[in-house]
Amino acid sequence: MALAQAVVHRPEVLFLDEPTTGLDPLSRRSIWELIHQEAAGGAAVLVTTHYMDEAERCHRLALLFAGRVLAAGTPQELKAMAKERARFLFAPGASLEAVRGWPGVLEAWPSGEGVRLIVRKEVTLEGLQEVEPSLEDVFALLSKEAL
């Protein structure tokens, strides 16, 4: 209801603070469809979200951490920048505790039937799958570097 009230007068600028919090996946999609319709109609739409899969839907992003802008750009630009700074890997069947002890590991977390990890660019770990970074990976890398 509040979103309908916000767009009914066709604003030039629309600021939405976490508009999909607490919504089911289909409702979230509907909200993003509306956001893209407003943008296509010429509105400047600014959205805050903690959901990195939603951030993927934006044309430009600013990743914020501890009150600072860590990086800004398109999702593709941010991922390319992250790939220049670190490697993103998947260790199938690995233990999280073991992976966290490997040399050069900056961040590691469980993912499906294995562990996803971010390692220093110069580190080579044999037998692991190179994966494309997600925006969540980019945020994890940049926030870790900012500490």
Side-chain angles (χ1 to χ4, degrees):
M1 174 78 112
L3 187 55
Q5 290 173 330
V7 300
V8 71
H9 69 285
R10 311 296 291 170
E12 291 180 23
V13 177
L14 184 60
F15 184 85
L16 302 172
D17 186 20
E18 299 186 9
T20 63
T21 299
L23 298 179
D24 65 84
L26 295 178
S27 296
R28 285 173 64 192
R29 284 183 187 174
S30 295
I31 296 296
W32 278 97
E33 184 177 330
L34 177 65
I35 289 169
H36 279 275
Q37 286 174 358
E38 291 299 312
V45 183
L46 298 129
V47 179
T48 64
T49 184
H50 287 91
Y51 302 129
M52 293 294 104
D53 64 311
E54 289 191 350
E56 288 272 359
R57 302 172 191 205
C58 297
H59 298 108
R60 293 196 48 81
L61 308 170
L63 297 178
L64 305 171
F65 178 73
R68 301 185 22 231
V69 174
L70 297 176
T74 67
Q76 297 78 16
E77 289 168 346
L78 295 176
K79 291 175 188 179
M81 175 269 305
K83 286 170 65 172
E84 293 173 5
R85 296 161 83 148
R87 296 180 63 220
F88 300 85
L89 305 169
F90 180 71
S95 141
L96 180 60
E97 294 75 26
V99 168
R100 285 188 170 152
W102 293 352
V105 172
L106 299 171
E107 189 68 41
W109 61 98
S111 179
E113 296 295 322
V115 177
R116 243 184 113 102
L117 54 151
I118 302 171
V119 300
R120 296 186 200 298
K121 186 73 173 172
E122 66 277 2
V123 171
T124 302
L125 296 170
E126 298 296 324
L128 302 183
Q129 300 168 9
E130 194 95 26
V131 294
E132 285 298 309
S134 67
L135 282 179
E136 185 174 326
D137 296 335
V138 174
F139 182 83
L141 172 66
L142 296 177
S143 60
K144 189 83 164 177
E145 290 178 349
L147 293 177

